[in-house]
Amino acid sequence: YTSEQSFAAVFLPSTLALLVVTTPLAALGLWLGEKIGLGAPLLAALLSNSPGAVRRLAQDARRAIGLGLVVGLLLWMLRIVSAQFLPPELPELGHRGAIGGLLVSISAAVGEEVWLRLGAMTGIAWVLMRVLGQSRFSPQVAWTAIITAALAFGAIHLPQLAAAGAATPTGIGATMLGNTLVGVLCGWLFWQRGLIAAIIAHFSVDLVLHVFPALLS
């Protein structure tokens, strides 16, 4: 990739998808989240210039970056040690180049967290609470929503796997396992700290998987 190719082929389509898909899901997630205690409270605090918001952002960022880097490095190591068992068609980590990988990491961190955490996870939690007749957001509902959204997060990566011709049982299993793990991490952070923490953790994971290998190659 050149930087021009990366911008045209990666960033612009991703931006269009963010605008078309993200806006309604963000609105739905914020609306339902206000009812059950999920959403983006730190973002609201920052926008309203609430006292302590910047300090909380720094605290959340340190935690999310640390956890994201650890999970990203773990997945990178697992990819290396399991390479002989994976389909050869599976794209190498960092195959988009450093610039392309950075652009994909940014768009995926924002878009997928709004879709899967703010949108899907909040919606799942709201439905579960209505079905169970609960007025309080319990850990049982939280973990059910986290895991369900994480599995959906893994599943949305399978079409890319199929397009690369790598949709073998081992390829599917590795893709689901890795992305579900990331989804659980981001879901837990979304529950505990809000949307910004989930986005930062997701970006940190993708930075390790998409940018670092390109810089080292």
Side-chain angles (χ1 to χ4, degrees), residues 43-71:
L43 178 59
L46 289 168
L47 292 175
S48 63
N49 199 27
S50 297
V54 174
R55 183 174 66 253
R56 180 182 166 189
L57 173 62
Q59 293 172 345
D60 287 358
R62 285 195 297 269
R63 176 183 298 182
I65 290 170
L67 291 171
L69 291 178
V70 168
V71 171

Side-chain angles (χ1 to χ4, degrees), residues 38-42 56-57 60-61 63-65 67-69 105-106 108-119 121-122 146 153 181-206:
L38 287 176
L42 178 55
R56 180 182 166 189
L57 173 62
D60 287 358
R63 176 183 298 182
I65 290 170
L67 291 171
L69 291 178
S105 298
I106 294 171
V110 176
E112 292 175 355
E113 288 312 304
V114 171
W115 302 342
L116 275 301
R117 250 57 68 180
L118 183 59
M121 181 177 152
T122 302
I146 288 170
F153 177 62
L181 178 60
V182 175
V184 169
L185 168 65
C186 293
W188 178 77
L189 282 170
F190 176 60
W191 171 32
Q192 295 292 320
R193 309 304 298 178
L195 181 64
I196 291 180
I199 289 174
I200 293 173
H202 190 151
F203 174 74
S204 300
V205 172
D206 282 0

Side-chain angles (χ1 to χ4, degrees), residues 21-31 114-115 118-119:
V21 180
T22 305
T23 302
L25 283 175
L28 177 65
L30 290 171
W31 179 58
V114 171
W115 302 342
L118 183 59

Side-chain angles (χ1 to χ4, degrees), residues 14-199:
S14 298
T15 301
L16 181 61
L18 287 174
L19 292 174
V20 173
V21 180
T22 305
T23 302
L25 283 175
L28 177 65
L30 290 171
W31 179 58
L32 294 179
E34 188 176 357
K35 300 176 181 296
I36 63 175
L38 287 176
L42 178 55
L43 178 59
L46 289 168
L47 292 175
S48 63
N49 199 27
S50 297
V54 174
R55 183 174 66 253
R56 180 182 166 189
L57 173 62
Q59 293 172 345
D60 287 358
R62 285 195 297 269
R63 176 183 298 182
I65 290 170
L67 291 171
L69 291 178
V70 168
V71 171
L73 288 170
L74 173 62
L75 293 177
W76 191 1
M77 294 302 102
L78 288 175
R79 176 66 180 268
I80 292 173
V81 300
S82 63
Q84 60 180 319
F85 304 107
L86 298 174
E89 297 84 3
L90 193 67
E92 294 291 331
L93 295 179
H95 70 279
R96 296 181 178 88
I99 295 176
L102 179 62
L103 295 175
V104 166
S105 298
I106 294 171
S107 62
V110 176
E112 292 175 355
E113 288 312 304
V114 171
W115 302 342
L116 275 301
R117 250 57 68 180
L118 183 59
M121 181 177 152
T122 302
I124 292 167
W126 181 82
V127 170
L128 284 172
M129 290 176 66
R130 293 293 295 267
V131 170
L132 297 174
Q134 294 185 359
S135 59
R136 186 178 64 86
F137 188 54
S138 66
Q140 292 80 7
V141 167
W143 280 110
T144 301
I146 288 170
I147 294 171
T148 303
L151 290 171
F153 177 62
I156 66 172
H157 290 82
L158 296 181
Q160 296 176 339
L161 191 70
T168 64
T170 53
I172 292 172
T175 297
M176 287 296 299
L177 177 63
N179 284 290
T180 299
L181 178 60
V182 175
V184 169
L185 168 65
C186 293
W188 178 77
L189 282 170
F190 176 60
W191 171 32
Q192 295 292 320
R193 309 304 298 178
L195 181 64
I196 291 180
I199 289 174

